[in-house]
């Protein structure tokens, strides 16, 4: 998304983790905590995001605990099974849910956040082989398929993360933050693959 601006985007690497930094009670707090931490550590303009699933019938859970739902070390399948078990008595019409992503940028002198959402509902059983996490049970009404049944391109167009980062990229084009960059400067992304991928 930043390629058109001629910027080099780098990540932390596959072994990096931000789990200990994520102590906030909202997606925005966690995204800003990560962006601020790595802004200070790197001295670079830093992008970060935090995202998860909110289910109305569960009072917004799993929310910021989406990745930890089911306990430490739980697999995607185990988290999905826990979610389906929690909703087993909830009829289809009351299974409304949304994926939420907050993208944050921190630079010398400021910070900004952008929120993207994708509305849907939770199915009674998984469908599809693509995606990850809760994608197989997240049914997206406008396309009539789960996120795990969408192509990468389709998901990028409608996903919460795609929405949040499109907003951020648009803001960057209009803001003067990039005007302060010099040739050779980099934008560092604590959640590197989250930003660079087309999810």
């Amino acid at each position: 998304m930043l390629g058109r601006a001629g910027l080099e985007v780098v990540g932390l690497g596959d072994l990096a983790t931000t789990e200990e930094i994520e102590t906030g009670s909202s997606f925005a707090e966690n995204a800003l905590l990560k962006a601020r931490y790595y802004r200070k550590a790197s001295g670079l303009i830093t992008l970060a995001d935090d995202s998860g699933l909110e289910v109305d019938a569960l009072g917004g859970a799993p929310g910021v605990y989406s990745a930890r739902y089911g306990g430490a070390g739980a697999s995607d399948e185990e988290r999905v099974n826990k979610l389906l078990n929690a909703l087993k008595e909830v009829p289809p019409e009351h299974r409304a849910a949304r994926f939420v992503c907050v993208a944050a940028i921190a630079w010398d002198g400021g910070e900004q956040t952008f929120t993207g959402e994708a509305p849907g509902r939770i199915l009674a059983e998984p469908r599809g082989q693509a995606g990850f996490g809760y994608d197989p049970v997240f049914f997206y009404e406008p396309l009539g398929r789960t996120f795990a049944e969408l192509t990468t391109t389709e998901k990028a167009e409608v996903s919460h993360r795609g929405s949040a980062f499109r907003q951020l990229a648009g803001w960057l084009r209009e803001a003067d933050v990039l005007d302060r960059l010099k040739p050779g400067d980099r934008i560092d992304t604590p959640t590197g693959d989250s930003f660079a991928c087309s999810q």
Side-chain angles (χ1 to χ4, degrees):
M1 295 179 197
L2 292 179
R4 298 185 201 95
L7 300 170
E8 179 188 1
V9 180
V10 297
L12 292 180
D14 293 338
L15 299 180
T17 177
T18 59
E19 189 172 331
E20 292 183 0
I21 304 169
E22 299 175 33
T23 58
S25 60
S26 70
F27 298 120
E29 286 181 18
N30 281 337
L32 283 168
L33 284 168
K34 290 184 278 190
R36 291 168 184 158
Y37 180 89
Y38 285 103
R39 166 72 183 102
K40 183 176 180 181
S42 69
L44 302 173
I45 293 176
T46 304
L47 308 177
D49 80 316
D50 197 53
S51 59
L53 177 70
E54 295 181 338
V55 181
D56 288 353
L58 301 179
V64 296
Y65 303 105
S66 293
R68 291 163 277 181
Y69 195 61
S75 66
D76 284 351
E77 183 179 2
E78 289 169 332
R79 285 190 289 271
V80 167
N81 287 338
K82 178 176 180 178
L83 177 68
L84 294 181
N85 187 57
L87 293 171
K88 64 183 178 182
E89 304 298 330
V90 179
E93 63 271 21
H94 296 301
R95 287 173 167 242
R98 71 199 59 78
F99 273 123
V100 180
C101 174
V102 175
I105 179 170
W107 68 95
D108 187 16
E111 56 191 31
Q112 186 80 21
T113 62
F114 304 86
T115 303
E117 294 189 6
R121 64 182 171 86
I122 304 301
L123 297 181
E125 59 185 34
R127 280 176 26 186
Q129 301 300 316
F132 62 94
Y134 303 97
D135 287 356
V137 293
F138 185 81
F139 187 77
Y140 185 68
E141 299 277 2
L143 296 181
R145 285 173 283 164
T146 68
F147 266 19
E149 295 175 304
L150 301 182
T151 66
T152 300
T153 301
E154 288 173 326
K155 187 177 174 185
E157 289 296 316
V158 301
S159 78
H160 51 306
R161 185 170 285 111
S163 172
F165 277 102
R166 276 191 296 274
Q167 293 174 58
L168 189 152
W171 176 83
L172 277 174
R173 286 191 290 272
E174 300 297 325
D176 67 349
V177 174
L178 295 182
D179 295 336
R180 303 174 199 165
L181 295 178
K182 304 177 293 301
D185 283 350
R186 304 179 305 168
I187 289 186
D188 188 38
T189 56
T191 54
D193 58 342
S194 295
F195 181 79
C197 74
S198 58
Q199 296 177 27

